[in-house]
Amino acid sequence: MSERDLHFLLARLTPNAPVDLDPPCRPQSGAAQASAAAPLQSRAPSALIWARGTPAHPVLGIRVTSALPDPASTAARIAAAAIERGLTPVILSALPHCGLEPFGFRVERLSSGPAADQALEEAELVRFWDMVMVIDAAEIACLG
C-alpha cells in the first residue's frame, strides 16, 4: 500500500459499527418463542435504528448570528472539538449562508423573522436533536 492509501485508510477508520437490521434467528422453545416473536412482528427491524435512550454522540448546537471572519478556522476548531469530545455539531443559523456549509456540517436554518420566533425555533431544534448545549460560533471564532 502506498502512503496515500494508508492516509485514506486512516481517515476512514472508526470504532462505530452498523446496526444489524436482520438479527440471527435463534431456535427457542414454545412459550419463549411466542413471547419473543410478538415484539419483533409489531416492529420493523429498521425501527431498531431509532430506538435509543441516549444519543450515540452528544449533539452540540453552534449558533451563527453573523458572518464569521474566518470560517475555515472556525470549522477546524469545531471539527477538533467534535473529535476530541465525541460530539456531533449542528449549526443553527438564520443567515442565508453562514460560511460553514462547505465543510459538511449539518446546518439547521432558522427563520429570518423576529428574535422571539428564532428563539422558539432554536428551542424546538434543541429538543429535536437532544442538544447538550448551544454555544455561539463568534466565541469559537474569537479564539483565533
Side-chain angles (χ1 to χ4, degrees):
M1 292 182 110
S2 71
E3 185 175 326
R4 182 174 181 231
D5 293 333
L6 290 172
H7 282 283
F8 283 122
L9 176 77
L10 286 173
R12 291 188 308 268
L13 287 178
T14 178
N16 300 328
V19 175
D20 184 6
L21 297 179
D22 298 315
C25 295
R26 295 185 187 112
Q28 297 177 344
S29 63
Q33 188 174 11
S35 64
L40 291 177
Q41 290 173 352
S42 63
R43 296 178 61 187
S46 61
L48 297 173
I49 294 174
W50 307 113
R52 63 183 181 110
T54 58
H57 293 281
V59 177
L60 174 67
I62 301 167
R63 184 183 307 115
V64 180
T65 56
S66 60
L68 299 169
D70 185 3
S73 175
T74 303
R77 288 192 176 277
I78 292 170
I83 291 169
E84 180 182 332
R85 299 294 181 185
L87 301 169
T88 301
V90 174
I91 312 302
L92 307 170
S93 180
L95 301 174
H97 181 73
C98 72
L100 296 173
E101 294 90 349
F103 304 103
F105 293 110
R106 172 67 187 216
V107 178
E108 291 285 356
R109 299 279 180 217
L110 305 174
S111 68
S112 58
D117 290 348
Q118 288 179 1
L120 289 172
E121 292 169 3
E122 183 177 302
E124 183 178 342
L125 288 167
V126 165
R127 286 189 309 274
F128 175 79
W129 284 102
D130 195 18
M131 293 180 188
V132 292
M133 67 185 317
V134 178
I135 60 172
D136 285 329
E139 294 173 4
I140 296 170
C142 290
L143 295 174

